Structure formats: C-alpha cells, structure tokens
Amino acid sequence: LTGATTEPVAPLPPLAYQSLDDLERLAADRLDAETWSYLADVAEDGRTHARERSVLDAIVLRQRGLGDGGTVDTSTSLFGQSLRLPVLAAPTSGQAFVHPEAERGMVRGCAQAGTVAIVPMTGSTVIEDIGAQGVPWWLQLYLPSDQGVAAGVAAEAEEAGAGALVISVDVPVLARRRHVPAGYPAGWNERLIALRKGSPESLFILDNAPFTWKALAALRARTSLPLLVKGVLDPDDVRPAIDHGVDGVVLSTHGGRQLDCAPTAGEVLASVVEAVDGRCLVLADGGIRRGSHVLRLMVRGADAVLIGRPAMWGLAVDGEAGVRDSFRLLHRELITAMGLTGCWSIDQVHPDMEWRPPNKGGSWGG
Ligand SMILES: Cc1cc2nc3c(=O)[nH]c(=O)nc-3n(C[C@H](O)[C@H](O)[C@H](O)COP(=O)(O)O)c2cc1C
C-alpha cells in the first residue's frame, strides 16, 4: 500500500479536539473572561479578521491524487534552522495570563513539535530565562526610541541564543479594539513588570517611538542575527525594508487587530513575492486554522507561516503539551493536504497548485 503517511512523528496521543476551532472552544471555557477577551479581540468591527479566514478558505487547490504515493515531507529550514513543519508560533503578548508556563511553555511546546516560537519582547519572561530553556527561539520587539536600548536587547538576545530578531512595525498607533478598547487590560504593565522581576523592558510598547528607517538601519548595523520586519503588507514598504538589509518580511494584519480595512496576507502575497524577487524570506500569518491554510499561503508564495491565537489556545488548555498538540494537529492536516495535492515536499510547493476556473468568457471565470 502506498500513499501519504498520516502521522509525521510519534503518533498523536488522543486529543480532546479534532480541529483548531474545537480547541478554541476548549480554551474559551478554560480562561477567565478578561483574558479571553484580550486573546479573541479584533479591531473595530472585526472585518479584517473575518476576511483573513474567508480569503484563505477561498483559495482552491488542484486535487492531484495520481502520483506514485510515498511519504510527505513537511520539513524545511529557515536561516539554517531545521523545522519539522513550516509553521512557527507568532509573537503573542499575555502568555503569562493564559498559563503559568507562559513563554517557557510556548518555546518548549514548539520545540517538541519541531518548530520555533517567536517570543514577544512585551512578554512576561526575561530573555535569559527563555535562553535557559535550551531550545530554539526568536525574539520579537518593537523598535524603542533609544537606539542604544535596541542594540542592547539585540546583543542580549544573541547571547541568550535567539535565532532571529523580528521587528514589528504595525503598531504606530494602537487600534481601538472591540472588547478591550485600550488594547491592554487594566493594570497589564504593572503585572508584567512584577512577573519580569522589575525589568522595565516590557514597557517598550508604551514608548510610542515612531518607526524610522534610520532606527532599523542602526539595528541592522549592530546585529548579525537575521532581521525580519513583521506587519508589512505592501510592496512599497517591502522594497525599502530589503534595501535596509532585512532578511525576511512577515505579512501580517496583527491578527486583524490593527487596520480594520487592510488587505490580508493571502491577498497581497503575489505582489509582495514579485517585489521581493528572491532577496529575502516571505512569511505570512492571520487566520490559519487548517493545515490546508498553511499550504494555500505557501502556494501563493510564503516560505513559512505563523499561528498566533491557536498556539495560545493550546497553551491555555495544557501548557507546553497543549502547544505541542496544536502544532501536531496542524502538521497532520498539512500532510493530508500535501498528499491530496500531489505535493510530497516543501520544495515542490508551486503557484500552479492553485486551481483557477478556466477563463472562457461567459459565465465561467467572469
Ligand atoms: C493575543 C494576541 C497578542 C499579540 N501580541 C503581539 C505582539 O506582542 N507582537 C506582535 O508582533 N504581534 C502580536 N500579535 C499578532 C500575532 O503575532 C499574529 O500576527 C496574529 O495573531 C496572527 O493571527 P492569528 O491569531 O489569526 O493566527 C498578537 C496577537 C494576539 C491574538
């Protein structure tokens, strides 16, 4: 019997859920109302967030079952780091309020699943404690106004073993959110600083430093770590970012939490990939809830993708093991989607895998 294996690594232990949507419901039951509201929150009317999912669902792939069969290989590598699947954990603030293992559980759970978590600078765990977990991780930060501080954090992250730095550029102002209009629950920063043993670094986000190319160039000059910018969606932002030496871009609407009339990663990927022209990696996130969503974004040109809320739901339900399981479920679904589209390895993913209705004029393709 030939065909795709359905299980990439050790068999999944029986899960209490069959989809990430089910996992979301379990997490909702587990969390207190304030934490849940923060996690689920969206900008204004939630239009961008809703469209992320519908854009992904609307990408149709060609079913190609007549291959020789074999074993689907989902592995890839980013900046020399091998990953068992092309899905990373997006940086998400508030992990300590979701589960006591917080960022430590997130990075370890990702490592168990064979991938990497991007730890937010505004998290509750100091950099050296993340490094002490002994697993791969990346650091996300907002560029502070003081370039010396940014360089210091970069050096500390490098010293503690971070694999890359991700600069988020999509919060020049914090959007009004539907549930928590101020963006963060009351007392948030005080609680974070206490958890961080008094370290004020978590206040970066309140720094309100406007992003400047100069600040990015200064950081580029002072770190040898791969540098990515997250939260770009436009070729006209991507081109100067590459000119300033970034190694990757992350197309993101911040999970539909910022501009509520933004295009989604799925929509802009083709134009961004054209602008990038192979000069840096292209990652994308937003609304990924199925393994086929991962594949659909990669067919449109992403090198890898990130999940934000789903990893948090896993953390909420079972800490490190819950994070691992959320990725494993997605991994299993990705294998299925690749097997059914006749795609046996990541290097075979190609734009031609997308199905487009034949354009015969008339009612078809119009
Ligand atoms: C609760 C929450 C907190 C987030 N915190 C950050 C953050 O601190 N820094 C950042 O760059 N993005 C942050 N994001 C955005 C995520 O990195 C990611 O872009 C988004 O969650 C992807 O969409 P998804 O949740 O549908 O997977 C956050 C998102 C959520 C839901």
Side-chain angles (χ1 to χ4, degrees), residues 27-363:
D29 287 346
R30 199 64 66 92
L31 293 171
D32 64 83
E34 185 185 50
T35 307
W36 177 251
S37 295
Y38 171 70
L39 207 58
D41 221 348
V42 291
E44 297 179 353
D45 303 312
R47 306 272 185 231
T48 299
H49 180 60
R51 281 183 47 257
E52 293 200 298
R53 178 73 178 257
S54 58
V55 165
L56 288 178
D57 284 338
I59 300 172
V60 181
L61 300 184
R62 295 163 67 193
Q63 178 173 305
R64 305 288 306 278
L66 298 183
D68 289 338
T71 304
V72 172
D73 180 2
T74 61
S75 64
T76 191
S77 95
L78 300 178
F79 307 124
Q81 165 79 54
S82 306
L83 304 181
R84 221 176 279 153
L85 73 167
V87 187
L88 294 84
T92 44
S93 304
Q95 296 179 25
F97 308 128
V98 165
H99 192 279
E101 290 174 11
E103 289 81 7
R104 297 177 304 285
M106 184 64 82
V107 295
R108 287 201 309 261
C110 282
Q112 279 202 46
T115 188
V116 172
I118 306 173
V119 175
M121 189 67 237
T122 53
S124 50
T125 310
V126 291
I127 286 176
E128 61 174 322
D129 287 351
I130 301 289
Q133 304 306 309
V135 298
W137 58 286
W138 297 3
L139 183 74
Q140 176 264 326
L141 59 150
Y142 297 95
L143 273 184
S145 47
D146 184 334
Q147 288 170 16
V149 172
V153 171
E156 200 187 333
E158 195 162 358
E159 169 80 23
L165 292 179
V166 178
I167 312 297
S168 291
V169 296
D170 55 4
V171 192
V173 291
L174 200 59
R176 292 283 289 178
R177 306 270 164 91
R178 182 188 284 175
H179 301 298
V180 190
Y184 297 95
W188 174 278
N189 271 292
E190 292 70 22
R191 289 159 74 196
L192 279 182
I193 290 172
L195 282 165
R196 293 173 69 116
K197 303 166 197 155
S199 156
E201 291 152 342
S202 60
L203 284 175
F204 272 8
I205 190 164
L206 298 185
D207 186 326
N208 276 337
F211 171 85
T212 61
W213 294 111
K214 209 171 135 206
L216 185 67
L219 184 60
R220 170 72 292 172
R222 293 177 75 170
T223 181
S224 57
L225 284 176
L227 203 57
L228 298 92
V229 286
K230 173 172 179 287
V232 285
L233 285 165
D234 200 289
D236 287 345
D237 287 342
V238 166
R239 283 188 208 93
I242 296 173
D243 292 343
H244 283 81
V246 302
D247 304 287
V249 291
V250 185
L251 310 184
S252 177
T253 68
H254 212 101
R257 292 157 81 88
Q258 285 295 95
L259 183 65
D260 203 25
C261 50
T264 69
E267 291 169 311
V268 300
L269 256 166
S271 61
V272 168
V273 166
E274 195 187 339
V276 165
D277 196 23
R279 288 175 295 159
C280 75
L281 291 185
V282 179
L283 277 54
D285 74 13
I288 294 165
R289 303 295 179 262
R290 287 285 183 190
S292 70
H293 291 155
V294 175
L295 186 57
R296 289 183 238 200
L297 282 175
M298 294 184 72
V299 164
R300 288 250 166 126
D303 293 298
V305 301
L306 325 176
I307 52 169
R309 295 179 188 85
M312 287 288 256
W313 302 330
L315 185 69
V317 166
D318 202 9
E320 171 182 349
V323 172
R324 175 200 65 199
D325 289 347
S326 65
F327 277 92
R328 281 176 140 192
L329 182 67
L330 210 51
H331 195 178
R332 191 161 63 181
E333 291 181 353
L334 175 61
I335 287 173
T336 305
M338 287 175 66
L340 291 173
T341 51
C343 175
W344 303 97
S345 62
I346 296 299
D347 59 10
Q348 290 178 5
V349 176
H350 192 275
D352 284 348
M353 288 169 63
E354 184 166 351
W355 181 85
R356 292 182 187 85
N359 189 358
K360 292 180 183 158
S363 56

